[in-house]
């Protein structure tokens, strides 16, 4: 039944998507002199007036700025400045973008990259918007930042949850396959045929046909850092700090069970919870309008709370 509901969405009228021009952001001002020699810029889009706030959008794995073309368009038209990011190893951003920070497949390193982007663009207090495995990065970023650096979190179809979800079970087997993939990819004579095989398999498993061979190989390395075992402590720490968190998920996500998403929503800090009966793993596409509307209200409410707290301290 879930599958039929998801396919019925293909007849749904979607909001007009936006694909702002992509630019390369130089982050060298935030790195050491040694790392500046080898680092590469990050591909981003930057659109919207910023009248109603700022958002940094972080995609999953694999993914790109195009994952936010529907919800991003809604927010930009409303007056939100949206910075969509191509993470290292995905789309137009090189793996060398994390030079001086660490491995580009580590969620903590990618969180530091998001902080660099916010600082380089001199964003005042952006909301972090994340899809799928991008949620791990957003939660890490919020956890590492000082109170008030980010306005809050909006996570859509988030991963990881509090325990292995269906896509990474049995976990021991998934981890073994990923380790084997990383090893095979390190052998020059095997790299190209292995990447071609991975690409075909990932498309068969339901990933976008646009995924490249390089992204396919990087995805396997990235999955080794899906630290679901740290998620309970991470959620508890954010809850203790009362980081405003909005969570969105669907009942028919083919990758993550509804019950596991519900358990994560209960563990995270207070905030709006949107649950849709359909939309699969891409609520950010199929339900862009109601999510964007809820985000605008959530951002306004969070901004008012911060202003009220500041007034009380004075």
């Amino acid at each position: 039944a879930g599958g039929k509901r998801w396919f019925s969405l293909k007849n749904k009228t979607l909001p007009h998507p936006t694909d702002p021009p992509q630019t390369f952001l130089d982050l060298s001002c935030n790195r050491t002199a040694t790392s500046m020699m080898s680092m590469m810029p990050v591909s981003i889009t930057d659109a919207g007036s910023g009248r109603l706030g700022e958002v940094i959008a972080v995609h999953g794995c694999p993914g790109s700025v195009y994952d936010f073309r529907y919800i991003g368009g809604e927010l930009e038209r409303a007056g939100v400045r949206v910075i969509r990011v191509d993470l290292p190893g995905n789309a137009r951003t090189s793996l060398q973008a994390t030079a001086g920070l660490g491995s580009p497949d580590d969620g903590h390193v990618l969180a530091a990259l998001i902080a660099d982007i916010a600082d380089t663009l001199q964003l005042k207090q952006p909301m972090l918007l994340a899809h799928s495995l991008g949620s791990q990065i957003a939660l890490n970023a919020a956890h590492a930042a000082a109170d008030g650096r980010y306005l809050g979190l909006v996570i859509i179809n988030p991963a990881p949850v509090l325990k292995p979800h269906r896509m990474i079970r049995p976990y021991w087997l998934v981890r073994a396959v990923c380790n084997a993939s990383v090893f095979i990819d390190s052998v020059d004579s095997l790299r190209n045929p292995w990447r071609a095989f991975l690409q075909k398999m990932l498309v068969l498993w339901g990933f976008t046909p646009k995924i490249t061979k390089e992204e396919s190989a990087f995805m396997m390395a990235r999955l080794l850092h899906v630290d679901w075992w740290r998620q309970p402590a991470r959620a508890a720490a954010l809850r203790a700090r009362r980081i405003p968190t909005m969570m969105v998920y669907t009942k028919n996500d083919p990758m993550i069970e509804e019950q596991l998403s519900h358990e994560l929503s209960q563990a995270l800090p207070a905030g709006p919870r949107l649950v849709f009966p359909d939309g699969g793993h891409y609520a950010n596409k199929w339900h862009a309008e109601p999510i964007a509307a809820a985000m605008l209200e959530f951002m306004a409410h969070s901004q008012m709370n911060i202003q009220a707290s500041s007034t009380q301290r004075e």
Side-chain angles (χ1 to χ4, degrees), residues 59-67 85-87 89-91 131 208 211 215:
H59 63 73
C61 182
S64 74
V65 297
Y66 293 109
D67 293 352
V85 181
D86 275 341
L87 293 172
N90 294 268
H131 173 245
T208 173
I211 188 171
E215 288 171 332

Side-chain angles (χ1 to χ4, degrees), residues 20-27 41-47 56-57 65 81-87 92-93 113-114 117-118 120-121 123:
Q22 290 182 248
T23 59
F24 285 100
L25 181 65
D26 182 4
L27 302 175
V42 175
S43 174
I44 67 166
T45 69
D46 187 350
I56 300 178
V65 297
R81 181 185 180 187
V82 181
I83 293 89
R84 313 180 207 176
V85 181
D86 275 341
L87 293 172
R92 303 205 314 170
T93 299
L113 181 77
I114 296 302
I117 292 170
T120 300
L121 293 174
L123 302 181

Side-chain angles (χ1 to χ4, degrees), residues 235-254:
L238 293 173
R239 191 179 183 93
R241 292 171 59 190
R242 299 182 179 179
I243 306 295
T245 303
M246 171 176 160
M247 178 170 163
V248 181
Y249 63 97
T250 67
K251 294 185 176 182
N252 71 334
D253 190 326

Side-chain angles (χ1 to χ4, degrees), residues 176-199:
V177 171
C178 289
N179 274 313
S181 176
V182 170
F183 172 75
I184 296 170
D185 197 65
S186 69
V187 180
D188 291 342
S189 60
L190 299 177
R191 184 177 299 118
N192 287 335
W194 174 248
R195 289 183 174 185
F197 171 76
L198 275 180
Q199 182 188 42

Side-chain angles (χ1 to χ4, degrees), residues 29-110:
C29 60
N30 295 312
R31 307 292 170 83
T32 64
T34 302
S35 65
M36 284 169 57
M37 299 296 291
S38 59
M39 73 170 295
M40 298 292 288
V42 175
S43 174
I44 67 166
T45 69
D46 187 350
S49 68
R51 179 175 55 87
L52 296 183
E54 305 158 331
V55 166
I56 300 178
V58 186
H59 63 73
C61 182
S64 74
V65 297
Y66 293 109
D67 293 352
F68 299 100
R69 60 199 308 256
Y70 294 98
I71 191 170
E74 288 292 287
L75 294 171
E76 290 155 7
R77 284 188 288 271
V80 177
R81 181 185 180 187
V82 181
I83 293 89
R84 313 180 207 176
V85 181
D86 275 341
L87 293 172
N90 294 268
R92 303 205 314 170
T93 299
S94 165
L95 291 172
Q96 287 299 109
T98 59
L101 292 176
S103 174
D105 52 23
D106 189 313
H108 294 281
V109 171
L110 295 173

Side-chain angles (χ1 to χ4, degrees), residues 8-312:
S8 70
L9 288 170
K10 290 187 175 181
N11 297 319
K12 180 177 180 178
T13 301
L14 295 169
H16 181 69
T18 61
D19 296 310
Q22 290 182 248
T23 59
F24 285 100
L25 181 65
D26 182 4
L27 302 175
S28 59
C29 60
N30 295 312
R31 307 292 170 83
T32 64
T34 302
S35 65
M36 284 169 57
M37 299 296 291
S38 59
M39 73 170 295
M40 298 292 288
V42 175
S43 174
I44 67 166
T45 69
D46 187 350
S49 68
R51 179 175 55 87
L52 296 183
E54 305 158 331
V55 166
I56 300 178
V58 186
H59 63 73
C61 182
S64 74
V65 297
Y66 293 109
D67 293 352
F68 299 100
R69 60 199 308 256
Y70 294 98
I71 191 170
E74 288 292 287
L75 294 171
E76 290 155 7
R77 284 188 288 271
V80 177
R81 181 185 180 187
V82 181
I83 293 89
R84 313 180 207 176
V85 181
D86 275 341
L87 293 172
N90 294 268
R92 303 205 314 170
T93 299
S94 165
L95 291 172
Q96 287 299 109
T98 59
L101 292 176
S103 174
D105 52 23
D106 189 313
H108 294 281
V109 171
L110 295 173
L113 181 77
I114 296 302
D116 273 1
I117 292 170
D119 292 342
T120 300
L121 293 174
Q122 298 182 334
L123 302 181
K124 295 178 181 178
Q125 196 174 40
M127 178 71 74
L128 296 180
L129 166 64
H131 173 245
S132 190
L133 193 52
S135 303
Q136 177 200 34
I137 301 168
L139 266 63
N140 280 335
H143 185 263
D147 286 343
R149 179 63 187 99
Y150 299 111
L151 185 61
L153 296 164
V154 177
I155 53 177
I156 303 175
N157 296 110
V161 284
L162 303 179
K163 60 187 73 170
H165 51 280
R166 64 166 64 100
M167 184 188 171
I168 59 170
R169 284 201 313 265
Y171 181 70
W172 66 267
L173 179 59
V174 172
R175 189 168 181 83
V177 171
C178 289
N179 274 313
S181 176
V182 170
F183 172 75
I184 296 170
D185 197 65
S186 69
V187 180
D188 291 342
S189 60
L190 299 177
R191 184 177 299 118
N192 287 335
W194 174 248
R195 289 183 174 185
F197 171 76
L198 275 180
Q199 182 188 42
K200 291 179 180 179
M201 291 303 299
L202 290 175
V203 172
L204 285 175
W205 288 336
F207 288 93
T208 173
K210 295 181 181 178
I211 188 171
T212 66
K213 296 176 183 177
E214 292 74 20
E215 288 171 332
S216 300
F218 178 72
M219 177 181 172
M220 303 303 283
R222 180 78 179 87
L223 287 177
L224 288 172
H225 292 273
V226 179
D227 55 351
W228 54 267
W229 58 90
R230 290 194 179 100
Q231 196 72 321
R234 191 158 40 213
L238 293 173
R239 191 179 183 93
R241 292 171 59 190
R242 299 182 179 179
I243 306 295
T245 303
M246 171 176 160
M247 178 170 163
V248 181
Y249 63 97
T250 67
K251 294 185 176 182
N252 71 334
D253 190 326
M255 299 184 183
I256 305 171
E257 298 89 330
E258 176 191 354
Q259 179 59 33
L260 298 187
S261 293
H262 173 72
E263 290 172 3
L264 176 61
S265 75
Q266 296 300 298
L268 288 168
R273 301 292 189 262
L274 275 63
V275 184
F276 295 99
D278 47 28
H281 194 59
Y282 296 97
N284 47 312
K285 174 182 179 180
W286 297 110
H287 299 288
E289 290 176 300
I291 295 173
M295 272 190 69
L296 292 170
E297 184 176 346
F298 178 51
M299 291 175 68
H301 183 72
S302 299
Q303 289 164 351
M304 286 190 294
N305 284 343
I306 290 172
Q307 290 173 357
S309 298
S310 177
T311 301
Q312 289 176 355

